[in-house]
Amino acid sequence: MTFAEIPMPLISRMPAIQSPIIPIVAEWIRQTPGTISLGQGVVNYPPPEGAIASLIQAFADPQNHKYQAVEGIPELVQAIATKLQQDNQIPITAQRIIVTAGSNMAFVNTVLAITQPSDEIILQTPYYFNHEMAIGMASCKAVRVPTDGNYQLQLDKIKAAITERTRAIVTISPNNPTGVVYPREDLRAVNQLCREAGIYHISDEAYDYFTYGVPHVSPGAFPDSADHTISLFSLSKAYGFASWRIGYMVIPAHLHESVRKIQDTILICPPVASQYAALGALTAGRSYCQPKIDQIATVRATVLGLLEPLRSCCEIPAANGAFYFFLKVDTSLSAMTLAERLVREYQVAVIPGETFGMTDGCYLRVAYGALDGATAAAGMGRLVTGVRTIVTA
Amino acid sequence: MTFAEIPMPLISRMPAIQSPIIPIVAEWIRQTPGTISLGQGVVNYPPPEGAIASLIQAFADPQNHKYQAVEGIPELVQAIATKLQQDNQIPITAQRIIVTAGSNMAFVNTVLAITQPSDEIILQTPYYFNHEMAIGMASCKAVRVPTDGNYQLQLDKIKAAITERTRAIVTISPNNPTGVVYPREDLRAVNQLCREAGIYHISDEAYDYFTYGVPHVSPGAFPDSADHTISLFSLSKAYGFASWRIGYMVIPAHLHESVRKIQDTILICPPVASQYAALGALTAGRSYCQPKIDQIATVRATVLGLLEPLRSCCEIPAANGAFYFFLKVDTSLSAMTLAERLVREYQVAVIPGETFGMTDGCYLRVAYGALDGATAAAGMGRLVTGVRTIVTA
């Protein structure tokens, strides 16, 4: 085979990266009208009305159509600083906040800023698939450390996974896909482990407002964490703001220059219309989000009750955060097979565990953030009937 | 030095990447009130009014606050397809258009999609700095091929630069930073060279509407180019849309899956508010842009006339596109030194050539897209006086 005959796509980094499963599930749903989706990682409410009003007001100044600051418009950065201090107890100094076009981008910025190719980043399995993909795209290695039977951190296993190539440990709390919340002492232990090893703690807190009866803990609030902790946040979930693509990151000051270069190259600046809408959303603030999250808590309780009959064939570990349950189904079927049959035969969609790195065993992610009570009830009914019928057949 | 003592930022890919010079120039300007900026790569007009109206209308449907398609909303993709067929003569089939958050991101998507670390991508010098930075961030090598004295392509030198690691050749026409437009036969030759070598032709056409008396040529319109040509476009310039961050790319169908994975990981979907605004802008269409560009052509003629006295100490190659001139100044001063003195002593800002890879000789980029006639006259007066005084001192 001569140089010119090499099929182009095969000599790229991308074929080794997993294909996201959500579009495949979306296609099953499209082919099966009437399906109830328990797949979507979104909430059931829109942003506060002040968001669009804030945007419209901003464009009274035509200068706002031009490029703005790489790290975000100053008013939004200030509003974020206030939020981080009040809600997350993270002390903020200048040059630590970078606004991004969603917190996926904040993770990509992070990986590029702290690695060279062949470096390692430790993920907890089940992991968030875009984290694993970002690490692969940067030509680094995602080192997978299993969580325990309740999807909690296994500190000894994390410590054992650290090598001279390790650059960071990632935690997501509240967790996607499992919904679990890590206790303070475990996050503290990971954070200290990172400091001692001279590596970063990447703390993904996209669901920080979504806890039910347990506290959210921000590792960036620990004393002496500022130089090695990278905290990632999002407006997508709390403010019903998914399509606007605004997230933000808190970084050690020594990474500021690197992250600025990365963001300038990928994005130049976060979309300014979205930033002003975000400013309007943050002005409404947590008092806008909390009653909606309280309603989701009610849906969650309904869901938990309705899932009870599944305990005969599933493990359903406690999950006090985000808006997910992560079921372990007692079957030899693959999760992909089970999930496809659930759509095609029972008109209910969940996300199969393979995409989160769970290939040994049959795991399903059930999302309830987008559902009203009636739809949740109908969806859980289908899920319970479907899973029980399929796995006992 | 133990592992924990290695300074964190030094073991990353980023310190080797250049720092963008524009913030440095911005800081000189901030310290020198009254400076006229000939630095900004933006136009002097806002988007059509229909842009924001289109956005407001879209959010009457609260579903638009949720994630939308990775490749862009269907209505915008369709409008882009129509534009590409009418204005660029690029034949469009399904799965070839990806909307991005600006055309910088389209370039990053491209580099990740087609490379492995250590691969090479050929740039023409002077190059667009974010291209070089993106290649470095992907741990690939930017191979620099000099253009000729008129900043035109040197086909023999490009051909000689191709190795077994080469994955693509980049052309930008109309060009940033030089303002030159490449003739059809040269773009055709590059495109054929790429096909024969089994590599991609990356054609950056962010300034496609900005030509003065010469045609714009899209390599994607050449027969047999569809499988190896990646064309990048932007709304930032033509529609005064810089802060909204909407660009788009036309890719070979075989790259669709790879680019989808990349975009899902970096962005999930382009900001939907910006996409609806873009749809409103494209609905106004080229008839909105053209009269504004005609006005810029008038400013350009004024600028050219006013620069005449500089020809005693500068080369000013012909530049029939974008809104730049790229001066070669006959001096032993560095461009950084000259540019800083022009701000501090003459209150006029230009971008020094080092950032575009021109370290051998003193080059200055002069931008005129953002100026009205009076400001252009005042700015050129300062520039002419300043350069002549400084270099003959």
Side-chain angles (χ1 to χ4, degrees):
Chain A
M1 193 154 71
T2 70
F3 180 53
E5 286 168 344
I6 298 170
M8 288 183 174
L10 298 186
I11 49 172
S12 143
R13 70 190 72 205
M14 291 311 298
I17 311 285
Q18 73 155 305
S19 286
I21 228 157
I22 286 177
I24 298 172
V25 176
E27 181 59 21
W28 297 338
I29 294 174
R30 204 189 59 74
Q31 294 172 1
T32 315
T35 296
I36 293 177
S37 177
L38 310 176
Q40 293 183 290
V42 293
V43 295
N44 61 8
Y45 56 89
E49 289 190 2
I52 288 180
S54 168
L55 176 167
I56 293 169
Q57 191 184 342
F59 285 105
D61 179 358
Q63 290 299 316
N64 276 324
H65 293 295
K66 298 184 180 175
Y67 299 110
Q68 301 299 326
V70 171
E71 58 268 44
I73 56 172
E75 303 95 310
L76 179 59
V77 171
Q78 182 53 56
I80 289 168
T82 302
K83 180 265 180 189
L84 288 166
Q85 285 162 333
Q86 286 179 355
D87 294 342
N88 304 92
Q89 289 76 52
I90 299 179
I92 294 298
T93 52
Q95 299 204 325
R96 293 199 59 207
I97 296 170
I98 307 279
V99 181
T100 58
S103 79
N104 264 22
M105 183 176 290
F107 189 82
V108 169
N109 285 354
T110 298
V111 172
L112 292 173
I114 67 173
T115 65
Q116 291 178 319
S118 303
D119 282 347
E120 298 172 1
I121 292 180
I122 293 175
L123 300 182
Q124 323 302 322
T125 51
Y127 53 68
Y128 174 50
F129 52 87
N130 283 135
H131 284 177
E132 193 232 10
M133 294 166 75
I135 294 165
M137 281 163 45
S139 302
C140 294
K141 184 179 168 193
V143 174
R144 307 165 177 206
V145 173
T147 52
D148 70 14
N150 291 313
Y151 308 131
Q152 290 288 338
L153 299 173
Q154 302 200 90
L155 293 164
D156 52 338
K157 290 198 165 68
I158 294 171
K159 190 167 187 177
I162 296 175
T163 74
E164 292 226 335
R165 295 311 302 248
T166 305
R167 301 292 292 128
I169 298 171
V170 179
T171 59
I172 312 173
S173 181
N175 191 265
N176 177 8
T178 65
V180 308
V181 177
Y182 300 143
R184 173 180 300 272
E185 57 271 24
D186 285 7
L187 289 168
R188 184 88 180 107
V190 169
N191 196 262
Q192 283 184 324
L193 184 59
C194 290
R195 190 173 59 206
E196 286 159 15
I199 63 180
Y200 295 95
H201 182 181
I202 304 173
S203 172
D204 186 329
E205 304 175 41
Y207 298 86
D208 61 341
Y209 285 180
F210 294 84
T211 58
Y212 313 103
V214 296
H216 171 70
V217 175
S218 290
F222 297 141
D224 305 321
S225 70
D227 283 346
H228 70 285
T229 305
I230 299 166
S231 309
L232 314 181
F233 296 90
S234 174
L235 269 72
S236 296
K237 314 300 175 182
Y239 287 95
F241 210 64
S243 84
W244 293 80
R245 312 309 307 123
I246 294 291
Y248 50 99
M249 57 200 301
V250 184
I251 57 174
H254 67 256
L255 290 178
H256 184 80
E257 180 65 18
S258 291
V259 173
R260 270 185 62 94
K261 290 182 198 177
I262 295 162
Q263 180 134 307
D264 183 65
T265 300
I266 298 180
L267 189 63
I268 303 185
C269 66
V272 170
S274 293
Q275 288 191 78
Y276 277 104
L279 182 60
L282 288 183
T283 302
R286 191 168 191 167
S287 63
Y288 174 80
C289 311
Q290 199 55 55
K292 321 272 190 201
I293 295 172
D294 293 344
Q295 285 185 306
I296 291 177
T298 305
V299 172
R300 175 179 173 275
T302 304
V303 166
L304 255 186
L306 292 167
L307 288 177
E308 274 304 310
L310 269 189
R311 292 193 189 268
S312 62
C313 61
C314 292
E315 289 173 43
I316 310 174
N320 296 313
F323 33 70
Y324 304 114
F325 291 108
F326 200 64
L327 279 48
K328 182 174 185 188
V329 188
D330 182 15
T331 175
S332 59
L333 291 174
S334 75
M336 277 296 280
T337 302
L338 178 56
E340 182 170 3
R341 288 188 60 186
L342 285 169
V343 176
R344 297 200 192 281
E345 299 171 22
Y346 295 88
Q347 289 81 55
V348 63
V350 294
I351 305 296
E354 287 92 341
T355 196
F356 308 108
M358 302 302 268
T359 48
D360 187 16
C362 178
Y363 294 84
L364 302 176
R365 190 190 76 174
V366 176
Y368 55 83
L371 308 178
D372 57 43
T375 311
M380 295 307 146
R382 295 181 190 182
L383 181 68
V384 168
T385 305
V387 170
R388 291 181 66 160
T389 309
I390 292 170
V391 306
T392 60
Chain B
M1 193 155 69
T2 69
F3 179 53
E5 287 167 344
I6 297 169
M8 288 184 175
L10 299 185
I11 50 172
S12 142
R13 69 190 73 204
M14 293 311 298
I17 310 285
Q18 73 155 303
S19 287
I21 228 158
I22 286 177
I24 299 173
V25 176
E27 182 58 21
W28 298 338
I29 294 174
R30 204 189 57 77
Q31 294 171 0
T32 316
T35 296
I36 294 176
S37 177
L38 311 176
Q40 294 183 289
V42 293
V43 295
N44 60 8
Y45 56 88
E49 289 189 6
I52 289 181
S54 168
L55 176 168
I56 292 169
Q57 191 184 344
F59 285 105
D61 179 358
Q63 290 299 316
N64 276 323
H65 293 296
K66 298 184 181 175
Y67 299 110
Q68 302 298 327
V70 171
E71 59 267 44
I73 56 172
E75 305 94 310
L76 179 58
V77 171
Q78 183 53 55
I80 289 169
T82 302
K83 178 267 181 187
L84 287 166
Q85 286 162 334
Q86 286 178 355
D87 294 342
N88 304 92
Q89 289 77 52
I90 298 179
I92 294 298
T93 52
Q95 301 203 323
R96 291 200 61 208
I97 297 170
I98 307 279
V99 181
T100 58
S103 80
N104 264 22
M105 184 177 290
F107 189 82
V108 169
N109 286 355
T110 298
V111 172
L112 292 173
I114 67 173
T115 65
Q116 290 177 321
S118 302
D119 281 348
E120 297 171 1
I121 292 181
I122 294 174
L123 300 181
Q124 323 302 322
T125 51
Y127 51 69
Y128 174 50
F129 52 87
N130 284 134
H131 285 177
E132 193 231 12
M133 294 167 74
I135 293 165
M137 282 163 44
S139 301
C140 294
K141 184 181 168 192
V143 173
R144 309 166 176 205
V145 174
T147 53
D148 69 14
N150 291 313
Y151 309 130
Q152 290 288 338
L153 299 172
Q154 302 199 90
L155 293 164
D156 52 338
K157 289 198 164 68
I158 294 172
K159 191 167 187 175
I162 296 175
T163 74
E164 292 227 336
R165 294 311 303 247
T166 306
R167 302 293 290 129
I169 298 170
V170 178
T171 59
I172 311 172
S173 181
N175 190 265
N176 178 8
T178 65
V180 308
V181 177
Y182 300 143
R184 173 180 301 273
E185 57 270 26
D186 285 7
L187 289 169
R188 183 88 180 109
V190 169
N191 196 261
Q192 282 184 325
L193 183 59
C194 290
R195 190 173 58 207
E196 287 159 14
I199 62 180
Y200 295 95
H201 182 181
I202 304 173
S203 172
D204 186 330
E205 304 175 41
Y207 298 86
D208 61 341
Y209 285 179
F210 293 84
T211 58
Y212 312 103
V214 295
H216 171 70
V217 174
S218 289
F222 298 141
D224 304 320
S225 71
D227 283 345
H228 71 284
T229 305
I230 299 167
S231 309
L232 314 181
F233 296 90
S234 174
L235 269 71
S236 296
K237 314 301 176 184
Y239 287 95
F241 210 65
S243 84
W244 293 80
R245 312 309 307 123
I246 293 292
Y248 50 98
M249 56 200 301
V250 184
I251 57 175
H254 68 256
L255 289 179
H256 183 79
E257 181 65 16
S258 291
V259 173
R260 270 186 61 95
K261 290 182 199 177
I262 295 163
Q263 181 133 307
D264 183 65
T265 299
I266 298 181
L267 190 64
I268 304 185
C269 66
V272 170
S274 293
Q275 289 191 77
Y276 277 103
L279 183 60
L282 288 183
T283 302
R286 190 168 192 166
S287 63
Y288 173 80
C289 313
Q290 199 56 54
K292 320 272 190 200
I293 295 171
D294 292 345
Q295 285 185 304
I296 291 176
T298 305
V299 172
R300 175 178 173 277
T302 304
V303 166
L304 256 187
L306 292 167
L307 288 176
E308 273 304 309
L310 270 189
R311 292 193 189 269
S312 61
C313 62
C314 292
E315 289 173 42
I316 309 173
N320 296 312
F323 33 70
Y324 304 115
F325 290 109
F326 200 65
L327 279 48
K328 182 176 185 186
V329 188
D330 183 13
T331 175
S332 59
L333 292 175
S334 74
M336 276 297 279
T337 302
L338 178 56
E340 183 170 2
R341 289 188 59 186
L342 285 169
V343 175
R344 297 200 192 279
E345 300 171 22
Y346 295 88
Q347 289 81 53
V348 64
V350 295
I351 305 294
E354 287 93 340
T355 196
F356 308 107
M358 302 300 270
T359 48
D360 187 17
C362 178
Y363 295 84
L364 302 176
R365 189 189 77 173
V366 176
Y368 55 83
L371 308 178
D372 58 42
T375 311
M380 296 306 146
R382 294 181 190 184
L383 181 68
V384 168
T385 304
V387 171
R388 291 181 67 162
T389 309
I390 293 170
V391 307
T392 60

